Amino acid sequence: AMSTEDFQSAVDNYKLARDIISDNKEMKKKLAEAQEKLDALLSAADAEAAEQKRYDDIITRADSSFENEDYDLAINHYNSALEIFSSEEYPISQIALAEERIKELEEEKIKDSASAEQDLIDVNYQKLIDEGNALFTSEELIKAKDAYQAALDLKSSEKYPAQRIIR
């Protein structure tokens, strides 16, 4: 197959020949054919360059979204890039990384939620123990027992409230 440069050279040579022999119909026909093929190649090259630029722009947006930890948007952009060049490995690997990071973030969120829930239980438990101790000291034993029982309900494995109830 002839390249763009080959057709450009052919067109240039036919133009030189035309200047020398201006009335040769065969040469004019060959010049027209070479020019047509050159135009088609340039058009295809322009289209390919435009597709490459579009792909590169989408990848830039995807990478930016990825860096900003907007993984869902990054995945959408990488999928758009794959619609242009489906055999590219980079968007495929970045989608896998983004999906992995989403999973990690969800696991962290679950852990944080469980930790916050445990912190709330700890605070409420301590309040009930403090309340029970104050009531016990002021000899309001039934109310103290209720406070210790509520603390024990929050943390059934704790020994302190159980020991105070027995007293």
Side-chain angles (χ1 to χ4, degrees), residues 3 8 11 14 24 26 34 39 43 45-46 50 52 65 73 93-94 115 121 131 133 137 154 160 165:
S3 69
Q8 185 63 58
V11 167
Y14 283 125
N24 187 318
E26 182 65 25
D39 290 346
S43 176
D46 288 345
Q52 184 66 50
S65 296
L73 183 58
S93 65
Q94 288 301 101
S115 177
I121 289 170
E131 180 184 337
N133 288 343
T137 302
L154 283 178
Y160 183 79
I165 290 171

Side-chain angles (χ1 to χ4, degrees), residues 15-133:
K15 284 181 180 178
L16 283 173
R18 181 191 62 199
D19 291 344
I20 296 169
I21 310 167
S22 60
D23 62 347
N24 187 318
K25 291 182 179 162
E26 182 65 25
M27 187 262 320
K28 287 180 180 180
K29 179 180 169 195
K30 293 284 188 189
L31 172 60
E33 288 173 7
Q35 186 65 53
E36 187 178 305
K37 289 181 181 180
L38 176 61
D39 290 346
L41 276 176
L42 289 174
S43 176
D46 288 345
E48 190 175 308
E51 285 292 281
Q52 184 66 50
K53 181 174 178 358
R54 197 168 137 237
Y55 172 85
D56 292 343
D57 290 346
I58 291 170
I59 289 295
T60 299
R61 287 195 306 270
D63 288 344
S64 176
S65 296
F66 190 95
E67 288 171 17
N68 292 325
E69 297 182 3
D70 189 347
Y71 299 111
D72 290 325
L73 183 58
I75 289 170
N76 287 338
H77 287 310
Y78 289 126
N79 278 323
S80 294
L82 284 172
E83 289 174 14
I84 298 170
F85 296 128
S86 61
S87 62
E88 287 293 318
E89 287 296 319
Y90 180 75
I92 294 169
S93 65
Q94 288 301 101
I95 289 170
L97 284 174
E99 288 173 342
E100 183 178 314
R101 190 66 184 120
I102 288 170
K103 185 178 175 187
E104 289 170 3
L105 289 173
E106 287 172 352
E107 289 170 359
E108 285 176 24
K109 189 186 277 186
I110 290 169
K111 258 192 242 176
D112 289 347
S113 175
S115 177
E117 191 175 314
Q118 186 58 48
D119 289 347
L120 184 59
I121 289 170
D122 291 345
V123 167
N124 287 333
Y125 170 82
Q126 192 57 51
K127 281 182 185 176
L128 289 167
I129 292 297
D130 293 344
E131 180 184 337
N133 288 343

